[in-house]
Amino acid sequence: MRRMIITTAALSAVLAPVAAAPAATSAPAAVRAPYVDTRVRDCAGEGSGCRPGAVVHHWHKRGSSSRGVGWVYASREGVRSGTARWLVKKPGGTWKTGGGWKRAKRINNFVEVHWGKDGHTGPKYPKNSRICIEFKGLSKKACVTLK
């Protein structure tokens, strides 16, 4: 059996390049995600509960002035049925239909409906655009701003 004897000089020669390497070449401590994902919500109406309520998932790349809308969720408490749509208004623009009329599904004492899907998909709008939920036969709307 052979033994390997390493001298102090040989050991320091092997370790010197590692010690002399700048700290910046090491792995980054935290990598920032390329997208910012945000959920905004509004609850309109009188009394307890949301009559109607809105939740919007939007996303954007850091530094971007446009916002992608992944999904829109509408709910209304205290009813057994309902039909809803969502509207969008760009800054300085007029209201446009974002998602057409859809029948809401009943869940216990409220109804809900949604448009879109998870992920960085969907239409893009300028920052500070407004999205509102509208239920047929209800004058009150739930609105959020895409910050």
Side-chain angles (χ1 to χ4, degrees):
M1 189 181 331
R2 293 179 123 180
R3 286 192 187 174
M4 187 181 267
I5 300 174
I6 300 177
T7 64
T8 307
L11 186 59
S12 65
V14 171
L15 296 178
V18 175
T25 60
S26 63
V31 177
R32 289 175 54 155
Y35 292 102
V36 176
D37 289 273
T38 308
R39 285 185 188 182
V40 289
R41 65 189 77 228
D42 182 41
C43 196
E46 303 293 323
S48 64
C50 292
R51 298 180 179 135
V55 181
V56 177
H57 167 253
H58 65 89
W59 54 273
H60 65 279
K61 288 186 178 181
R62 294 187 187 281
S64 174
S65 62
S66 70
R67 304 293 183 251
V69 175
W71 50 260
V72 176
Y73 170 86
S75 66
R76 184 176 173 194
E77 289 190 25
V79 294
R80 293 175 178 252
S81 64
T83 304
R85 69 178 176 173
W86 64 277
L87 307 166
V88 63
K89 181 181 176 188
K90 296 176 183 177
T94 59
W95 288 103
K96 307 261 190 241
T97 302
W101 292 107
K102 271 179 115 173
R103 189 98 173 121
K105 294 180 182 170
R106 184 175 176 196
I107 313 266
N108 295 325
N109 66 337
F110 68 97
V111 294
E112 69 177 15
V113 62
H114 70 277
W115 298 262
K117 59 184 178 179
D118 274 334
H120 299 140
T121 62
K124 292 184 180 176
Y125 300 105
K127 184 177 179 179
N128 295 321
S129 293
R130 300 265 304 153
I131 291 181
C132 289
I133 297 299
E134 177 182 34
F135 275 87
K136 277 188 181 175
L138 185 66
S139 60
K140 197 78 166 166
K141 294 181 178 85
C143 299
V144 298
T145 302
L146 306 179
K147 294 286 181 181

